Amino acid sequence: MESEERRLRTLTRNFFQTYPDYHFCRTLAWNIINNVTTYESATGMLAKKARAAERNREQIDEKLDHFSVIIHGKLGRIKDLSLREIIQQEDAALKEIADFYFKHPYAHGRTKKSRLLPRYLRTLFLSVLVGHAKHRGLDLDYDACFGMIRLL
């Protein structure tokens, strides 16, 4: 019999391939395992979210492109920041940027989708970001961060 943790990882991975929101997918998987919802109901919700995201792709991309954080007292778009500039931010801005990229891993093309590249190249940006955040002791869910990186 498959262990609960293994089943959770398997369901999360399967859901994440349909809709890349790690926390949402993990919550759906957890709800299935704990009999809060059925697999069919969860996949139905997931399909609705994926269809809505696809229909609204342009608006979502535009909104993600304009996401800003306070940098030296002014609003700055994170899309315009290099990785070096991101890791030089103060803790509050760095945490906000890390949260953003773990909610939207493919935003701004910083994480690659192509399976032709090895995982460490596809996820280099996120790996450096989470490593730097952990080194600075920011309050992030590192288990979830590393779990998502493994799925990418």
Side-chain angles (χ1 to χ4, degrees):
M1 181 165 185
E2 189 175 29
S3 73
E4 199 172 277
E5 184 61 32
R6 183 180 170 120
R7 186 166 180 233
L8 179 65
R9 281 193 314 265
T10 302
L11 286 170
T12 303
R13 180 183 314 110
N14 293 342
F15 293 161
F16 190 80
Q17 290 172 349
T18 302
Y19 186 72
D21 180 338
Y22 183 79
H23 291 291
F24 177 71
C25 293
R26 189 164 173 94
T27 300
L28 279 181
W30 183 254
N31 287 342
I32 291 169
I33 289 170
N34 290 306
N35 296 318
V36 174
T37 190
T38 64
Y39 180 82
E40 292 76 19
S41 176
T43 55
M45 283 188 278
L46 191 66
K48 284 180 186 176
K49 282 189 95 59
R51 281 193 303 270
E54 191 57 39
R55 275 195 312 270
N56 300 315
R57 177 63 41 215
E58 277 186 35
Q59 293 87 354
I60 291 169
D61 288 344
E62 185 175 323
K63 185 176 179 181
L64 295 178
D65 285 351
H66 288 85
F67 186 82
S68 301
V69 295
I70 297 176
I71 301 169
H72 305 299
K74 297 185 289 186
L75 277 179
R77 289 184 348 172
I78 64 171
K79 178 182 181 179
D80 299 333
L81 298 175
S82 69
L83 178 57
R84 179 180 300 235
E85 290 170 324
I86 289 171
I87 62 177
Q88 290 174 346
Q89 298 305 311
E90 295 178 13
D91 287 355
L94 181 62
K95 182 179 181 336
E96 195 172 343
I97 292 168
D99 286 339
F100 172 83
Y101 280 114
F102 280 98
K103 176 74 175 165
H104 309 284
Y106 297 116
H108 313 136
R110 297 193 193 237
T111 300
K112 309 300 180 218
K113 292 183 180 182
S114 173
R115 294 292 178 183
L116 297 175
L117 293 172
R119 178 184 302 145
Y120 71 90
L121 288 177
R122 288 192 313 264
T123 62
L124 181 64
F125 173 82
L126 289 176
S127 297
V128 170
L129 185 61
V130 75
H132 192 74
K134 187 171 176 93
H135 176 72
R136 286 181 42 185
L138 296 183
D139 183 27
L140 294 175
D141 183 356
Y142 293 104
D143 289 336
C145 292
F146 290 122
M148 187 184 77
I149 288 172
R150 281 191 297 273
L151 291 181
L152 297 169

